[in-house]
Amino acid sequence: MSTPDLAPRRTFGGVVAVWVLAAVAGVLIGLFAPEPWRAQWITVALGGCIIVAFAVQLWYGRSQAFIQRMALSSVGAMVVLGIITAGFGLAAVVSG
């Protein structure tokens, strides 16, 4: 049986860090990737965000709610990248 942590580290910061990474990656891809290649690069960015989420959550060293934190990080990154992709898609439609 393990002993409880007296002052456990906050884990929500790691989740938000993955979301911020997804936002930065999405904006950089939207600005620098050619339009026909954006969808492929967004997929690569999502894969990178999932790997970073694993690394961040394993770095915390807490097994409690690991699956929930991973799911929140991954789904949040996917939503952030989806919103950014939709924004760039609408901008491409409007600009002609």
Side-chain angles (χ1 to χ4, degrees):
M1 181 179 277
S2 64
T3 60
D5 293 333
L6 296 178
R9 290 183 256 183
R10 295 184 182 214
T11 57
F12 193 68
V15 173
V16 173
V18 174
W19 296 350
V20 170
L21 174 68
V24 168
V27 169
L28 289 176
I29 289 168
L31 293 176
F32 295 117
E35 202 168 316
W37 288 91
R38 283 186 188 159
Q40 289 85 355
W41 280 109
I42 289 293
T43 306
V44 170
L46 180 60
C49 287
I50 291 173
I51 291 171
V52 169
F54 269 114
V56 168
Q57 297 306 326
L58 289 174
W59 176 73
Y60 278 122
R62 296 187 63 205
S63 61
Q64 295 84 9
F66 175 78
I67 300 295
Q68 288 84 1
R69 292 191 313 266
M70 275 302 303
L72 191 59
S73 296
S74 302
V75 172
M78 184 174 63
V79 168
V80 167
L81 286 171
I83 290 170
I84 290 172
T85 303
F88 279 114
L90 288 174
V93 169
V94 169
S95 68

